[in-house]
C-alpha cells in the first residue's frame, strides 16, 4: 500500500484512495477464497462417484490450499501493479486542478504570512465577541435586578399611599406628621417596656 497521504484526493472523494484499494484487495481475496471452496466441493463430489478412489479429502484440501497460495502470490503481484496504476492515473488529482471550494484561492491568492495575519484577526474578533456576550449577560442580569428593585419600590410607595389614606380617614392630613407621631409613640412604648422589665427584676430580687 502507498504511504502517500493524498489529502487533496481524500478531500474530493470523501475517503482515502488507499482505503479504496484496500477494500478492492479484500473483495478479490474473499472472492478467490469462495471460488476455491466451490472448486474443492465439486472435486469431492466427483471423487465420490469414482469407486476405489485412493485420493482422500485431506489430500484434496492440501492441494486446494497449495493452489490457493499459488494464486494469492500471483494476485498480490498483479494487484501491486494495479494499485500503482490506480493511485497514479485514476485516483489522483492533477497538480494543476483545483476543487470548486478552493477556486477562491486562485482568484484571491495569499501568502502564509497573510494567512497568519487573517487568523490572528479572526481570533481577536472571536475574543471580542465573547466579551460582548459576557457584557450582554451582565447587563441583562442587572436589568432583572433593577426590575426587582423597582417592583419593591412600587410596593413601598403603595404602602405609604395606603398609610396616608388611613391617616386622612383618622383626621391626620399630613403623613409625615403621623409618621413622626408614630415613631415617638413607639419610643415611649419601648421606654415603658424597659421600665417594666427593670421593675419586674427588682421585685424578683427582693
Amino acid at each position: 500500500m502507498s504511504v502517500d497521504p493524498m489529502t487533496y484526493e481524500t478531500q474530493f472523494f470523501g475517503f482515502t484512495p488507499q482505503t479504496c484499494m484496500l477494500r478492492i484487495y479484500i473483495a478479490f481475496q474473499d472472492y478467490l477464497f469462495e471460488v476455491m471452496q466451490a472448486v474443492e466441493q465439486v472435486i469431492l463430489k466427483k471423487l465420490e462417484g469414482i469407486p476405489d478412489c485412493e485420493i482422500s479429502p485431506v489430500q484434496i484440501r492440501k492441494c486446494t490450499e497449495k493452489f490457493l497460495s499459488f494464486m494469492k502470490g500471483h494476485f498480490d503481484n498483479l494487484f501491486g501493479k494495479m494499485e500503482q496504476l490506480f493511485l497514479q492515473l485514476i485516483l489522483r488529482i492533477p497538480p494543476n486542478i483545483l476543487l470548486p471550494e478552493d477556486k477562491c484561492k486562485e482568484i484571491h491568492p495569499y501568502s502564509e504570512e497573510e494567512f497568519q495575519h487573517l487568523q490572528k484577526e479572526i481570533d481577536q474578533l472571536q475574543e471580542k465577541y465573547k466579551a460582548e456576550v459576557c457584557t450582554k449577560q451582565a447587563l441583562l442580569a442587572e436589568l432583572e435586578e433593577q426590575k426587582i428593585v423597582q417592583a419593591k419600590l412600587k410596593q413601598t410607595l403603595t404602602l405609604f399611599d395606603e398609610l396616608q389614606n388611613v391617616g386622612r380617614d383618622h383626621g391626620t392630613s399630613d403623613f409625615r406628621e403621623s409618621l413622626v407621631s408614630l415613631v415617638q409613640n413607639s419610643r415611649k412604648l419601648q421606654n415603658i417596656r424597659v421600665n417594666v422589665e427593670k421593675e419586674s427584676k427588682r421585685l424578683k430580687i427582693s
Side-chain angles (χ1 to χ4, degrees):
M1 287 293 175
S2 172
V3 295
D4 183 2
M6 302 181 71
T7 54
Y8 206 49
E9 288 75 9
T10 302
Q11 178 182 338
F12 175 72
F13 291 113
F15 56 84
T16 63
Q18 290 87 346
T19 301
C20 176
M21 297 306 301
L22 178 61
R23 290 178 178 176
I24 294 175
Y25 177 80
I26 294 174
F28 270 104
Q29 290 274 42
D30 293 341
Y31 181 73
L32 179 61
F33 182 74
E34 292 175 0
V35 169
M36 293 308 302
Q37 279 187 321
V39 170
E40 181 180 348
Q41 293 299 322
V42 171
I43 294 174
L44 290 174
K45 287 182 179 181
K46 292 290 185 180
L47 291 177
E48 289 177 358
I50 300 176
D52 299 328
C53 181
E54 297 180 356
I55 302 175
S56 66
V58 176
Q59 290 176 317
I60 296 297
R61 172 55 59 90
K62 289 182 179 180
C63 292
T64 303
E65 291 178 350
K66 186 176 182 180
F67 184 71
L68 179 62
S69 177
F70 171 79
M71 292 294 294
K72 186 177 180 300
H74 280 269
F75 172 74
D76 288 344
N77 185 29
L78 292 174
F79 188 83
K81 297 177 181 179
M82 184 177 72
E83 179 190 15
Q84 292 180 359
L85 177 65
F86 269 67
L87 294 181
Q88 292 177 3
L89 302 179
I90 298 177
L91 297 177
R92 180 174 295 278
I93 298 176
N96 61 326
I97 300 298
L98 284 177
L99 297 180
E101 58 267 28
D102 294 331
K103 286 292 185 181
C104 60
K105 297 179 181 179
E106 185 179 24
I107 301 173
H108 306 287
Y110 54 85
S111 63
E112 181 67 22
E113 183 179 353
E114 290 173 334
F115 174 77
Q116 294 295 336
H117 180 70
L118 289 175
Q119 188 65 43
K120 185 177 180 180
E121 288 186 356
I122 291 174
D123 294 339
Q124 291 175 350
L125 289 174
Q126 288 179 341
E127 292 297 326
K128 288 182 180 180
Y129 173 75
K130 291 179 182 178
E132 290 291 337
V133 170
C134 293
T135 302
K136 181 180 178 180
Q137 291 177 346
L139 291 174
L140 289 175
E142 184 178 352
L143 181 61
E144 290 297 324
E145 291 179 359
Q146 289 180 357
K147 288 181 179 179
I148 295 173
V149 172
Q150 186 177 5
K152 291 182 179 179
L153 179 60
K154 186 177 181 180
Q155 292 177 354
T156 304
L157 292 176
T158 302
L159 178 62
F160 283 163
D161 291 338
E162 292 176 354
L163 290 175
Q164 190 169 5
N165 292 331
V166 171
R168 288 175 182 175
D169 294 339
H170 289 78
T172 304
S173 59
D174 191 351
F175 174 71
R176 292 182 181 180
E177 292 179 359
S178 62
L179 184 60
V180 171
S181 176
L182 180 62
V183 172
Q184 291 176 351
N185 291 330
S186 176
R187 289 177 179 175
K188 289 179 181 180
L189 289 174
Q190 288 179 354
N191 292 332
I192 292 172
R193 182 178 63 82
V194 171
N195 292 331
V196 170
E197 290 178 353
K198 289 182 179 180
E199 185 65 20
S200 176
K201 289 180 181 180
R202 186 182 65 79
L203 291 174
K204 288 181 179 180
I205 295 173
S206 61

